[in-house]
Amino acid sequence: MIQAIFQYQFLQNAFLTGLIIGVIAPLLGAFIVVRRLSLIADALSHVTLSGIAASLFLSKSFAAFNGLNPLWLGMGFSVTGSLFIERLRSVYKHYQELAIPIILSGGIGVGVIFISLADGFNTDLFSYLFGSVSAVSRSDLWLILGIAVTVISIVILLYKELFLLSFDEEFGKASGLSTRILHLVFMVMVALVIAASMRIVGILLVSSLMTLPVAAAMRIARGFKQTIFFSILFGELAVIVGLFSAFYLDLAPGGTIVISSILLLLFAIGLKNWQSVRN
Amino acid sequence: MTSSNVIELKNVHYRYDRDYVLTNINLTVPKGAFLGIVGPNGSGKSTMLKIILGLLKPRQGTVILFGEPQAKFRDRERIGYVSQKANAFNTGFPATVYEVVASGLTKKAGLFKMIGRKRKPQIEKAIKAVGMEDFMNRNIGELSGGQQQRVFIARAIVSEPDVLILDEPTVGVDSKNVQTFYDMLERLNKQLSITLLLVTHDIGTITSKVTHVACLNNSIHFHGSTKDFEQVKDNELSQFYGHEVHRLHHDHGHHHHTEEGTSL
């Protein structure tokens, strides 16, 4: 594959995109996991599906939308979805998790309608659902790179605020942090990263790349910065191993990346147990 | 309005729904004081703290912080806050003691700025002040309840506030460590001259440490120095609490009775 990467642009695209999302998905994932928002990421990925399906339908039915990259609508839908979730969470103050099934099923519902309108499944849609090594275009790569630069800059600039929001929201509020705005910025970032990651891991498995590496990192890390570091390390490992095996075994990378993450997770759990037995 | 008072509440009323939880609250916290606010559960203690911190707006009355009305008060970092640990924090959070204490500088450092090495001595000083220097790089979840509470106090004092507000800080601290915990608070009050405002339902232990006492049960029933408080008869206190209360004057906190009549 190393040789092939230099040879074929599509492989370069997939590999570079993979490396990028291997950083940003676990980076935000660390905050998502400690804030217990994992399921929200899942719900948002399904909203992204409806955006993708809508875009595929539009470009099939109207010539004007022919060249439209489905990522744009996917992104638009998932950002809108993230704002909706916040709205719903404030409507159902005592049942905040209700927002998740509402948004999740809404997302799939809209998606299914557009899929049927666009005459059902095709390879394009399949690649969005489970990821693909061959479908990532140069323009996808640039868009995803743009998202990554934005998200990483925001996380660096607002690191201490995001840390406080995650660790102790009440204390943050008491010290004058505008937690509402911060949370909104965070949710929009999550929506963007989901849209970016889906090209490689697929909509159905996006949230796994945000949570599994973090779950592994939490077993062995000391402190939050270390947790982020190990999450990204595990995320990158999973992406690289997953992409190589997907290429050689001719499988959808979503599956191989998730299985690699699970193996890494088992390794981290095993390592921790072995350490505690030895001590 | 006198500038020697750190906090003043004047005629404050508050209700969440229909019934008032706080009526006609007048309270002054002089500079350098260690004020203990005691009251049974549901007496409006936490509500009053939230009003002081600006998290809730009083329905009536005024709050004056450092001589300025609350609406105009901008120096939020002059007030440190330690909340009731039990409901505010996820013990599985992967953060070290150092990281938690450093997060107390979030507001002071300013937006878009990092808390860098330059601040390290300041952070370590706060950790030492609560006696947690041996645990600096441990994850907060691995510590006992009392140790965690010390870390939260370090986080609150790292920005060098003039006043520290503590909401039931001994919940989750095992009884044999409560005394050393209060000793530490007394040290912060005397050595670092931080004004302390402590809310508790535990009436026994604190009277040997605090300089002022206020009894709250939806309204203020007593507000004065600890010396005056000791003149208040036990049966008057019992009436205020709604059941029997015994205090051992000048005790060291081992055999007193709390509001539930159980001994710690």
Side-chain angles (χ1 to χ4, degrees):
Chain A
M1 189 182 177
I2 304 285
Q3 265 183 328
I5 283 177
F6 291 109
Q7 232 168 353
Y8 300 110
Q9 205 194 41
F10 77 88
L11 276 183
Q12 284 171 18
N13 293 345
F15 201 73
L16 291 174
T17 307
L19 290 181
I20 294 171
I21 63 167
V23 175
I24 54 176
L27 171 67
L28 278 195
F31 291 96
I32 291 175
V33 169
V34 296
R35 296 190 62 200
R36 306 185 195 281
L37 296 175
S38 312
L39 285 172
I40 284 186
D42 227 8
L44 278 183
S45 65
H46 289 80
V47 175
T48 315
L49 169 71
S50 60
I52 299 288
S55 185
L56 291 177
F57 165 70
L58 286 177
S59 49
K60 198 174 171 198
S61 318
F62 305 100
F65 293 103
N66 226 332
L68 183 72
N69 188 335
L71 265 185
W72 287 108
L73 265 191
M75 239 161 68
F77 272 58
S78 95
V79 170
T80 315
S82 68
L83 303 179
F84 258 118
I85 286 184
E86 284 325 300
R87 188 82 204 97
L88 282 173
R89 268 153 61 98
S90 59
V91 170
Y92 291 103
K93 271 209 175 84
H94 301 287
Y95 295 95
Q96 294 201 340
E97 75 280 5
L98 251 184
I100 296 165
I102 294 172
I103 292 291
L104 192 138
S105 51
I108 298 186
V110 174
V112 166
I113 289 175
F114 279 117
I115 291 169
S116 334
L117 283 175
D119 289 338
F121 277 85
N122 53 28
T123 43
D124 233 15
L125 187 64
F126 188 84
S127 82
Y128 280 106
L129 283 178
F130 305 110
S132 161
V133 201
S134 56
V136 188
S137 69
R138 229 346 99 103
S139 74
D140 288 343
L141 175 59
W142 289 126
L143 183 55
I144 288 163
L145 185 66
I147 292 175
V149 170
T150 312
V151 166
I152 292 171
S153 317
I154 293 178
V155 170
I156 290 174
L157 286 174
L158 295 177
Y159 174 78
K160 62 184 190 314
E161 284 81 7
L162 288 170
F163 176 88
L164 197 53
L165 177 74
S166 313
F167 181 70
D168 190 344
E169 195 172 333
E170 196 194 346
F171 180 80
K173 266 187 206 153
S175 55
L177 199 68
S178 26
T179 50
R180 220 178 58 84
I181 296 173
L182 195 62
H183 177 67
L184 221 56
V185 170
F186 180 74
M187 289 309 291
V188 170
M189 286 199 293
V190 171
L192 289 176
V193 169
I194 285 171
S197 309
M198 120 204 110
R199 220 56 190 100
I200 295 289
V201 266
I203 288 161
L204 294 179
L205 298 167
V206 160
S207 63
S208 67
L209 194 58
M210 301 182 117
T211 49
L212 294 181
V214 184
M218 287 210 302
R219 298 299 302 173
I220 55 174
R222 182 150 288 193
F224 194 59
K225 277 189 180 155
Q226 249 189 46
T227 303
I228 292 179
F229 173 78
F230 280 114
S231 302
I232 293 176
L233 186 75
F234 290 145
E236 286 294 350
L237 270 173
V239 167
I240 292 169
V241 173
L243 277 180
F244 268 90
S245 39
F247 178 72
Y248 281 115
L249 305 171
D250 196 20
L251 299 168
T256 53
I257 289 174
V258 169
I259 297 304
S260 318
S261 329
I262 287 180
L263 290 178
L264 281 168
L265 177 65
L266 292 177
F267 165 76
I269 293 173
L271 187 74
K272 182 80 178 186
N273 290 347
W274 180 70
Q275 272 176 343
S276 52
V277 166
R278 222 177 44 149
N279 291 338
Chain B
M1 194 192 82
T2 44
S3 56
S4 65
N5 283 333
V6 174
I7 297 167
E8 278 177 83
L9 300 189
K10 286 184 182 162
N11 196 23
V12 165
H13 293 251
Y14 190 83
R15 61 187 159 91
Y16 288 97
D17 297 315
R18 199 175 300 153
D19 300 324
Y20 276 91
V21 224
L22 296 174
T23 48
N24 200 21
I25 303 292
N26 287 292
L27 185 82
T28 51
V29 186
K31 193 166 186 289
F34 184 170
L35 169 69
I37 300 174
V38 292
N41 292 326
S43 57
K45 290 170 302 191
S46 299
T47 307
M48 189 168 85
L49 288 193
K50 283 183 181 147
I51 287 174
I52 293 172
L53 290 163
L55 298 174
L56 297 173
K57 279 212 170 65
R59 303 276 169 156
Q60 243 187 73
T62 46
V63 179
I64 294 165
L65 304 170
F66 299 96
E68 266 186 275
Q70 193 171 44
K72 284 191 190 156
F73 182 73
R74 288 284 169 271
D75 270 345
R76 265 252 187 78
E77 69 234 30
R78 292 182 74 179
I79 302 176
Y81 172 50
V82 179
S83 67
Q84 273 188 48
K85 193 213 72 156
N87 52 31
F89 144 79
N90 154 17
T91 45
F93 198 101
T96 60
V97 167
Y98 185 89
E99 285 179 315
V100 172
V101 175
S103 76
L105 289 168
T106 300
K107 196 69 192 171
K108 199 165 197 174
L111 203 61
F112 304 136
K113 299 256 173 57
M114 268 181 256
I115 299 167
R117 297 208 180 282
K118 203 176 72 210
R119 306 243 180 210
K120 205 173 172 198
Q122 197 180 345
I123 295 163
E124 289 176 347
K125 188 182 150 204
I127 296 174
K128 280 204 187 93
V130 297
M132 287 298 291
E133 60 272 25
D134 295 336
F135 300 87
M136 208 117 71
N137 294 313
R138 291 278 285 277
N139 273 353
I140 180 100
E142 297 167 18
L143 307 178
S144 74
Q147 291 171 324
Q148 285 171 352
Q149 201 55 277
R150 281 163 184 265
V151 174
F152 291 126
I153 289 172
R155 176 181 68 173
I157 62 172
V158 71
S159 57
E160 293 168 348
D162 296 309
V163 56
L164 184 61
I165 296 177
L166 304 118
D167 191 0
E168 301 269 8
T170 52
V171 170
V173 177
D174 51 291
S175 52
K176 63 177 188 292
N177 288 322
V178 167
Q179 191 60 38
T180 49
F181 186 81
Y182 282 128
D183 289 344
M184 183 206 71
L185 288 182
E186 197 178 28
R187 227 171 36 239
L188 294 181
N189 178 237
K190 293 202 169 122
Q191 289 172 9
L192 301 179
S193 45
I194 300 175
T195 306
L196 292 180
L197 191 153
L198 182 147
V199 153
T200 181
H201 64 260
D202 166 16
I203 200 167
T205 323
I206 66 154
T207 46
S208 63
K209 294 291 174 199
V210 296
T211 60
H212 295 73
V213 178
C215 296
L216 179 74
N217 197 354
N218 306 117
S219 57
I220 301 271
H221 289 249
F222 174 88
H223 183 24
S225 70
T226 311
K227 221 179 221 159
D228 293 337
F229 183 65
E230 275 160 3
Q231 308 305 316
V232 178
K233 302 235 163 50
D234 274 353
N235 59 3
E236 286 175 44
L237 265 185
S238 305
Q239 218 173 10
F240 155 68
Y241 263 108
H243 49 70
E244 233 176 299
V245 172
H246 303 282
R247 287 168 300 164
L248 292 182
H249 297 287
H250 299 297
D251 75 335
H252 288 280
H254 295 295
H255 304 291
H256 68 271
H257 291 262
T258 59
E259 56 166 300
E260 267 82 31
T262 52
S263 67
L264 268 180

